[in-house]
């Protein structure tokens, strides 16, 4: 501690000693009569040229001082003297005044206007401001007139070692690969010192390591950190903390220092092989496990990290290499053993595998450390499980003829229980695959029989599913597809491939092919179809047509002669017998219709109707269509004309759906006699005396309402019907609400006091009528019976 205090005092007094040594040399007195300034402590140039001097000559001048110096951070009881200003014009009579202006004038620096002494009144810091530019001038004390031009000078702040080095970017982090060689560069650091790097050694830095040895070293001047030990192992220690110091004054005693930390992390390299945690693994698996299921996991540990720890797993030996596989799990870094093929406890109960784990990324620099792989043994024990039945074949193909008898055996499926207990098996058909129930199966032996007849022409293939179920455990079932092919038998006779209709020209030539026909057979013989064509025995010597077999299994019909006439015979029917080549052969007779038609000279059919034959030769089909169109147009015009005329003559009757008539007359009803009053309203005629009021018409709906007409005087009871009707007719004719057309009115009143009396034939006790009802026999059996009844009644009356 005393030594450091002495060094600090020495640093402070050294500039003062230097200043004290140089002060005597700073005093310079210019010759008299020269307009210059004498400066003490720090020289200042103040030049003045006499206003009256007109002679241009070089003046002899003394030393020119334009800067002064002052120590930073200096503090004392009195302001520090920086320098003194003086001019030759000052005889000491105190008539000259000194003025100071510029940076810090009056606030930091003060001048004695009489003596010219400049003092620093505040503590200065070079790191804040290193120099100040000021201006000095001598003026008349009383008039303040300038005696000389102003002179500019600089006050520089001299540095002292008052700032310690700093690491502005700290703390630091760096990485270096593990197992690096000695002297591998890690990183470099930088410290800064705010002191003046030009003046003294205040900013000269030297670096050193305080903590972190002996693992790392640092270059004193460049601050480059390097490894100090070779082959540092990350697995032993991954992170190191290094404390770095920067000291100024070139590292000598009394210098200031600063520190920072550097964290060095060793990065991983692949310098460690994988290693299984155990040399032997045991796993057990049921024999009915699903393929692809994970049976177990094995893991080889690797002290490295990241991709350097990644390993691939393989089965390199064992008796289960075909049944098992191993895959690598990149996330868990282990190997997963899975089942590739089905297991059978009854066949083999255990397996042994040899598994290898090897690093994927190998660093050749460390290949000498040995193989980066490891092996382990895996034993897998198969456990017995209740397995479903096993069919003797994964699929079955059966064939059956379409004419097979019902309940005949088509084929058989077999299955067994693979377990040691060997449970009996029961067979059944999945009816979802046999909706029509065409097949049955024996539940005990698996024989498939025919339940309904087959028809190959309807369906060639039948696909069903057979189910095998253990009797002791119904949950254990198996399924197998069975394809049944229906074989063909010759059970369909051949026939025409389509409905043929041939056309024969009247001007045809003998031997001309009228029509070519082909046959079809729903059966499917192995060697293909071969048809035989012939005419009926009674048509072998047909005088008009003959047939010819073609090589393509078709038949041509030819005309034997010419001169066919459609007026004599319009249509010919030619029966043709078609036989197949089956065993036994089948045949059928198809009839070909041949129409005789009129053709053009080049054989184009024009008309096949007999009526068309009698048309004029010069009348074409287009002309005939034009004539028919004109006739239809005339008919339409006539119909429209008649319709319009009828529409004009129709009475203007106002129809209303709500206008319901009471008087409904049915002319096919004989009526109920005098007692029947339900069919119509006869109240008006039954009481003619009381009809004086207004009776609205029911056959019209008048638009205007009129006052009811005055009724006539009451009619005496002995009024005649004829007169009554005339009165009513007169009223109807004069009624203004009546429409301008006739209105039919029906009266059911016969009047009173008629001389003739009742006209009813049913109430007549005597009659001299000689009616004859024989005409009713012509109307039918019922009216004939009615006539007989009336005839009997007449005969009874006569007797």
């Amino acid at each position: 501690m005393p030594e450091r205090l002495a060094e600090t005092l020495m640093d402070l007094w050294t500039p003062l000693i230097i200043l004290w040594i140089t002060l005597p040399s700073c005093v310079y007195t210019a010759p008299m009569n020269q307009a210059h300034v004498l400066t003490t402590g720090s020289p200042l140039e103040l030049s003045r040229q006499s206003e009256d001097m007109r002679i241009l000559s070089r003046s002899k001048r003394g030393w020119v001082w334009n800067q002064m110096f002052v120590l930073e951070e200096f503090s004392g009881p009195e302001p520090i003297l920086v320098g003194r200003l003086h001019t030759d014009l000052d005889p000491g009579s105190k008539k000259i005044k000194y003025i100071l202006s510029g940076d810090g004038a009056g606030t930091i620096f003060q001048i004695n206007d009489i003596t010219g002494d400049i003092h620093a009144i505040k503590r200065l810091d070079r790191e804040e401001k290193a120099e100040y530019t000021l201006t000095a001038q001598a003026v008349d004390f009383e008039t303040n007139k300038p005696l000389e031009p102003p002179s500019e000078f600089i006050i520089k702040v001299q540095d002292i070692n008052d700032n310690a080095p700093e690491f502005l970017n700290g703390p630091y982090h760096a990485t270096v690969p593990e197992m690096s060689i000695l002297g591998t560069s890690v990183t470099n650091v930088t410290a800064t010192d705010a002191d003046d790097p030009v003046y003294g050694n205040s900013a000269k830095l030297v670096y050193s390591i305080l903590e972190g040895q002996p693992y790392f070293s640092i270059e004193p001047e460049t601050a480059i950190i390097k490894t100090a030990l070779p082959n540092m192992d990350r697995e032993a220690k991954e992170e190191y903390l290094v404390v770095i110091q920067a000291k100024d004054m070139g590292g000598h005693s009394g210098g200031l220092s600063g520190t920072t930390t550097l964290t060095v992390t060793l990065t991983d390299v692949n310098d460690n092989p994988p290693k299984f945690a155990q040399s032997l693994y045991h796993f057990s698996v049921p024999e009915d496990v699903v393929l692809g299921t994970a049976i177990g996991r094995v893991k080889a540990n690797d002290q490295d990290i990241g991709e350097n720890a990644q390993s691939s797993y393989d089965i390199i030996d064992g008796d289960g290499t075909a049944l098992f596989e191993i895959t690598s799990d990149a996330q868990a870094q282990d190997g997963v053993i899975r089942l590739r093929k089905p297991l059978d406890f009854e066949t083999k109960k255990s397996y042994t595998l040899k598994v290898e784990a090897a690093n994927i990324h190998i660093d050749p620099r460390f290949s000498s450390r040995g193989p980066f792989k490891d092996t382990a043994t895996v034993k897998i024990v198969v456990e017995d499980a209740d397995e479903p039945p096993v069919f003797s074949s994964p699929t079955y193909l059966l064939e059956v003829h379409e004419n097979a008898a019902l309940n005949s055996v088509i084929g058989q499926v077999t299955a067994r229980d693979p377990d040691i207990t060997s449970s009996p098996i029961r067979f059944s058909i999945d009816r979802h695959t046999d909706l029509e129930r065409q097949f049955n199966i024996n539940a005990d032996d698996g024989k498939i029989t025919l339940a309904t007849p087959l028809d190959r022409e309807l369906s060639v293939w039948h696909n069903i599913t057979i189910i095998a179920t253990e009797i002791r455990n119904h949950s254990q079932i198996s399924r197998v597809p069975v394809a049944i092919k229906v074989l063909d038998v010759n059970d369909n006779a051949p026939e025409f491939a389509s409905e043929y209709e041939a056309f024969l020209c009247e001007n045809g030539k003998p031997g001309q092919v009228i029509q070519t026909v082909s046959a079809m057979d729903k059966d499917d013989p192995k060697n293909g179809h071969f048809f035989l064509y012939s005419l009926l025995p009674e048509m072998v010597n047909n005088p008009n047509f003959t047939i010819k077999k073609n090589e393509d299994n078709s038949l041509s019909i030819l005309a034997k002669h010419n001169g066919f006439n459609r007026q004599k015979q319009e249509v010919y029917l030619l029966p043709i017998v078609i036989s197949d080549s089956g065993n036994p052969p089948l045949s059928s007779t198809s009839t070909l219709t041949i129409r005789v038609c009129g053709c053009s000279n080049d054989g184009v059919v024009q008309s096949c109707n007999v009526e068309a034959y009698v048309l004029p030769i010069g009348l074409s089909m287009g002309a005939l269509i034009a004539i028919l169109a004109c006739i239809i147009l005339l008919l339409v015009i006539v119909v429209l004309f008649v319709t319009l005329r009828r529409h004009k003559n129709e009475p203007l009757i106002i129809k209303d759906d709500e206008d319901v008539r009471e008087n409904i007359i049915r002319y096919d009803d004989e009526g109920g006699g005098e007692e029947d009053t339900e069919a119509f309203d006869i109240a008006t005629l039954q009481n003619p005396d009381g009809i004086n009021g207004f009776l609205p018409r029911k056959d019209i709906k008048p638009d205007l309402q009129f006052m009811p007409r005055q009724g006539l005087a009451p009619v005496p009871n002995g009024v005649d019907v004829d007169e009554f009707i005339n009165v009513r007719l007169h009223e109807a004719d004069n009624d203004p609400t009546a429409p301008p057309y006739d209105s039919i009115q029906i009266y059911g009143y016969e009047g009173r006091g008629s001389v003739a009396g009742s006209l009813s034939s049913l109430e007549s006790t005597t009659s001299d009528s000689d009616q004859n009802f024989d005409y009713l026999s012509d109307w039918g059996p019922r009216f004939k019976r009615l006539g007989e009844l009336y005839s009997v009644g007449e005969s009874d009356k006569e007797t």
Side-chain angles (χ1 to χ4, degrees), residues 116-130:
D117 294 338
I118 299 174
H119 293 82
I121 60 176
K122 287 186 178 180
R123 178 182 295 182
L124 302 178
D125 189 353
R126 190 200 66 85
E127 286 71 35
E128 293 182 1
K129 191 174 180 65

Side-chain angles (χ1 to χ4, degrees), residues 334-347:
D334 57 6
V336 183
I337 301 174
R338 301 180 184 274
L339 183 65
R340 293 178 57 187
K341 294 183 179 180
L343 299 174
D344 188 4
F345 173 80
E346 290 73 22
T347 303

